[in-house]
Amino acid sequence: MRKPTRRREVGRGERVLPGVWRLRLPLPWPGVPHCNAWALAAGDGIVLVDTGMHEPGSMAHLERALDQAALRPEHVRLIVCTHAHVDHCGEAPALRARTGAEVWMHPAHGHVHAGDETPEQTIARRVEVARQSGVPEGPLRRWAEQRRSTGTGMSGELVVDRELVPGTTVATDLGEWQVVETPGHAPSHVCLHQPERRLLLSGDHLLGRVSLYFDEGHTPDPVQEFQDSLDRVGALDARLALAGHGRPFTDVAAHVAANRALVAERLHGVRAALAQGPGTAYELTGRVHGDEFSEETASWLLAMTRSWLTHLERRGEATRGAAGEPGGAEIWS
Ligand SMILES: [Zn+2]
Ligand SMILES: [Zn+2]
């Protein structure tokens, strides 16, 4: 049987507010058909917040989206990335080279695109983590092969001209945007807040459709960091969120509350799985997610399970047992 072909997405641009355009850029990922870059009017040009990932044809999609907003890459005066995931910063090196615009980003971006690590070393590091989590050899080998056959999503080496930290402001025609550190989804995640207009560029920290993901293994407790970031963003009293995926949304407070509720629900699920007896992270993921846990979702769900377990471990609710044999999987109880 032939696989159904997905309708080919193309780059689109639309004005959301005077001086704010949403640039919807296609992604090659199942379940995540596109991401948003945001163009903000700034003098005779624009500030571009996020860039989309780099893959064949991606610059043409960005050009097309900009064109629908009567803009061109040459209008880009500054590139700001909300965090170091390729769908948000992949095209930044190419755009920087093409436009001469600076790239601003939070300093904690280094762990994702470590300059001294080859793609093969990155795969090897992730295979090691997966083995520790109890992933069987077959799926692990297939995952590594698939990773080798796809690009990195980056258009070159990420060069950051200025650190995006609290106190740094981004000047636009809508006023100055303030940097709010929001680690959890990624250590380098920031939101940009425009207090007079009560606008929030929320990246992947807050999405219209609640969806959780944590970059684990780089900081002590991404789940706690994420919850602290929710507190920080909830206190801003923003009125409209311009997110990294999907449509803009209002009722920011309700979205913060929905994220908190989902965190509590997931932690409850992992506690219940642990109550059934000790297991590897892989086994526990199967217990929590059942049929939803497939080779396609495995690396995503497994990263989530490791995040929840790490959080519970720090709260004294879970214990990580030593691997039975050298290179063996950790057992959680
Ligand atoms: Zn992300
Ligand atoms: Zn994203």
Side-chain angles (χ1 to χ4, degrees):
M1 209 170 78
R2 277 176 59 186
K3 271 190 181 172
T5 46
R6 194 157 49 84
R7 188 171 62 82
R8 185 69 188 140
E9 297 272 344
V10 292
R12 293 176 204 280
E14 61 177 16
R15 198 185 78 151
V16 170
L17 295 168
V20 179
W21 294 269
R22 176 187 175 203
L23 308 175
R24 208 180 69 170
L25 307 171
L27 288 174
W29 300 338
V32 192
H34 52 76
C35 59
N36 296 326
W38 295 92
L40 310 174
D44 63 354
I46 55 167
V47 173
L48 186 68
V49 178
D50 290 339
T51 66
M53 78 183 279
H54 178 71
E55 57 164 347
S58 56
M59 188 60 93
H61 286 299
L62 180 60
E63 282 176 9
R64 183 190 145 105
L66 284 167
D67 185 62
Q68 290 182 358
L71 295 165
R72 282 177 285 117
E74 287 64 36
H75 287 114
V76 176
R77 301 285 178 266
L78 173 64
I79 301 156
V80 173
C81 298
T82 57
H83 62 296
H85 284 165
V86 292
D87 49 329
H88 299 262
C89 67
E91 206 73 279
L95 273 174
R96 182 179 183 271
R98 176 165 169 182
T99 64
E102 289 193 349
V103 173
W104 294 7
M105 199 165 183
H106 191 274
H109 66 83
H111 72 281
V112 177
H113 304 288
D116 55 354
E117 195 177 71
T118 64
E120 194 52 43
Q121 284 170 326
T122 307
I123 292 173
R125 177 166 54 81
R126 293 196 52 188
V127 162
E128 195 41 49
V129 172
R131 236 182 226 127
Q132 220 172 46
S133 306
V135 179
E137 282 300 322
L140 195 52
R141 211 172 32 243
R142 286 192 285 279
W143 173 83
E145 275 158 21
Q146 196 233 325
R147 263 300 288 258
R148 281 187 195 100
S149 69
T150 54
T152 62
M154 292 298 297
S155 55
E157 195 194 336
L158 189 62
V159 177
V160 175
D161 299 284
R162 185 154 167 193
E163 295 190 342
L164 208 54
V165 288
T168 308
T169 54
V170 176
T172 68
D173 292 355
L174 286 89
E176 288 196 335
W177 297 72
Q178 294 167 357
V179 175
V180 183
E181 285 179 316
T182 46
H185 173 78
S188 56
H189 203 293
V190 300
C191 293
L192 293 176
H193 180 225
Q194 212 300 315
E196 289 82 27
R197 294 173 194 267
R198 297 175 61 205
L199 299 175
L200 184 73
L201 279 154
S202 62
D204 285 354
H205 175 64
L206 276 189
L207 298 168
R209 194 164 61 93
V210 178
S211 164
L212 300 176
Y213 181 77
F214 309 117
D215 254 357
E216 47 84 42
H218 308 289
T219 56
D221 186 354
V223 173
Q224 190 58 50
E225 288 153 29
F226 177 68
Q227 294 186 94
D228 294 345
S229 296
L230 287 176
D231 289 344
R232 214 166 293 136
V233 161
L236 298 174
D237 196 28
R239 155 180 81 79
L240 180 69
L242 312 171
H245 302 263
R247 293 204 180 89
F249 59 90
T250 55
D251 56 10
V252 177
H255 282 76
V256 168
N259 273 273
R260 274 194 232 288
L262 188 58
V263 167
E265 189 188 318
R266 291 281 183 266
L267 285 170
H268 180 75
V270 175
R271 284 190 192 100
L274 279 170
Q276 292 174 35
T280 64
Y282 184 83
E283 288 162 350
L284 291 164
T285 308
R287 282 183 212 165
V288 171
H289 294 282
D291 292 346
E292 200 198 327
F293 187 39
S294 66
E295 278 197 31
E296 198 166 74
T297 59
S299 79
W300 172 289
L301 293 178
L302 200 51
M304 298 301 292
T305 302
R306 282 196 300 264
S307 304
W308 305 125
L309 288 169
T310 300
H311 181 66
L312 292 176
E313 182 185 33
R314 286 178 71 85
R315 292 168 53 101
E317 295 183 56
T319 309
R320 187 193 306 246
E325 70 248 38
E330 291 170 339
I331 306 293
W332 290 85
S333 56

